[in-house]
Amino acid sequence: AQTVTQSQPEMSVQEAETVTLSCTYDTSESDYYLFWYKQPPSRQMILVIRQEAYKQQNATENRFSVNFQKAAKSFSLKISDSQLGDAAMYFCAYRGDGDDKIIFGKGTRLHILP
Amino acid sequence: ETGVTQTPRHLVMGMTNKKSLKCEQHLGHNAMYWYKQSAKKPLELMFVYNFKEQTENNSVPSRFSPECPNSSHLFLHLHTLQPEDSALYLCASSQDMKGPREQYFGPGTRLTVT
């Protein structure tokens, strides 16, 4: 069975600094998708970034980028120039190609220090 | 906003009550999901519907009864709940096509069972 592990329950970063959130996953499939979702306090969960396993190039969305290491089954999220609005719970997630469901990690709560 | 709405946003109910949660998506998606989010627990997938057909029931107690009358609407009927059912209930939708099929989440219903 596939699993997603986020080993950092909480992290803090100074405003304007860079922070990296870790995620590892376990799967025997070769085709799959990885996601990072953000859930701000009392607000909707939104998709931050997505990576297709068949793509070697790391996905980037403005200040958010990933380090996708397929052999190591690692999918970390880097947030550059952290802003107060980045404070949220971040979930790493996996979907196998053809699967109905997404498997989520337990989340990392990110605090931004002014 | 993600294009997925949920009502009510907050609900307090007694253990003998019957209530329903409603989810509506305006994205033209064909798959819809119910999740339970409790404090200090990972997101728990409850049900998956694809083209109005239930494709996943993740061993959810029968006191939770889903209904999907069409691809845009999803309900969760609640009856004789227990205090441990208090949680944030999230609805999500995705496109049912080959590809990443990332999920778009609603704001959730905060349920308190007294």
Side-chain angles (χ1 to χ4, degrees):
Chain A
Q2 296 90 357
T3 58
V4 176
T5 302
Q6 293 179 252
S7 58
Q8 306 148 316
E10 285 195 66
M11 293 188 72
S12 296
V13 63
Q14 209 73 36
E15 194 176 3
E17 296 294 308
T18 295
V19 64
T20 299
L21 279 57
S22 301
C23 173
T24 58
Y25 59 94
D26 190 26
T27 184
S28 57
E29 298 184 7
S30 56
D31 294 329
Y32 52 88
Y33 304 89
L34 297 164
F35 311 90
W36 278 99
Y37 281 88
K38 170 186 177 181
Q39 188 178 34
S42 303
R43 294 183 62 188
Q44 262 166 284
M45 179 128 56
I46 58 172
L47 179 69
V48 174
I49 201 164
R50 176 189 83 208
Q51 175 80 42
E52 291 88 344
Y54 62 84
K55 289 186 177 178
Q56 292 187 336
Q57 188 171 7
N58 289 324
T60 299
E61 287 288 340
N62 301 313
R63 296 182 296 107
F64 298 87
S65 62
V66 298
N67 184 2
F68 172 47
Q69 302 288 328
K70 191 171 183 179
K73 296 180 182 173
S74 170
F75 183 61
S76 60
L77 175 70
K78 186 172 83 171
I79 307 174
S80 304
D81 185 25
S82 298
Q83 300 175 0
L84 294 177
D86 295 333
M89 183 74 88
Y90 286 82
F91 293 95
C92 179
Y94 164 100
R95 185 204 280 274
D97 192 28
D99 287 350
D100 272 342
K101 58 186 181 183
I102 289 180
I103 298 168
F104 287 86
K106 292 186 178 182
T108 296
R109 184 168 297 284
L110 179 65
H111 303 277
I112 309 295
L113 307 174
Chain B
E1 296 303 321
T2 62
V4 181
T5 59
Q6 289 185 245
T7 55
R9 295 292 305 275
H10 300 272
L11 178 62
V12 179
M13 59 186 289
M15 289 190 283
T16 57
N17 290 160
K18 288 184 181 181
K19 296 286 184 184
S20 295
L21 310 185
K22 179 183 176 182
C23 175
E24 183 173 1
Q25 58 94 1
H26 311 274
L27 300 168
H29 290 165
N30 295 310
M32 296 188 78
Y33 311 77
W34 278 118
Y35 288 89
K36 176 183 178 183
Q37 187 176 31
S38 309
K40 302 186 188 300
K41 277 189 166 184
L43 274 166
E44 299 174 67
L45 178 66
M46 300 175 73
F47 302 103
V48 179
Y49 277 83
N50 246 319
F51 289 97
K52 303 187 298 179
E53 298 297 319
Q54 189 180 118
T55 58
E56 184 92 18
N57 177 339
N58 207 20
S59 303
V60 180
S62 59
R63 57 185 183 271
F64 295 91
S65 174
E67 178 190 0
C68 189
N70 55 61
S71 293
S72 299
H73 294 86
L74 184 65
F75 295 89
L76 188 62
H77 304 299
L78 316 170
H79 63 98
T80 58
L81 294 191
Q82 305 298 311
E84 60 264 28
D85 297 322
S86 298
L88 182 68
Y89 287 85
L90 294 171
C91 172
S93 71
S94 71
Q95 194 60 274
D96 181 44
M97 302 169 54
K98 199 164 175 56
R101 290 184 287 162
E102 58 261 26
Q103 293 178 7
Y104 292 79
F105 285 82
T109 295
R110 174 70 62 187
L111 174 67
T112 303
V113 181
T114 61

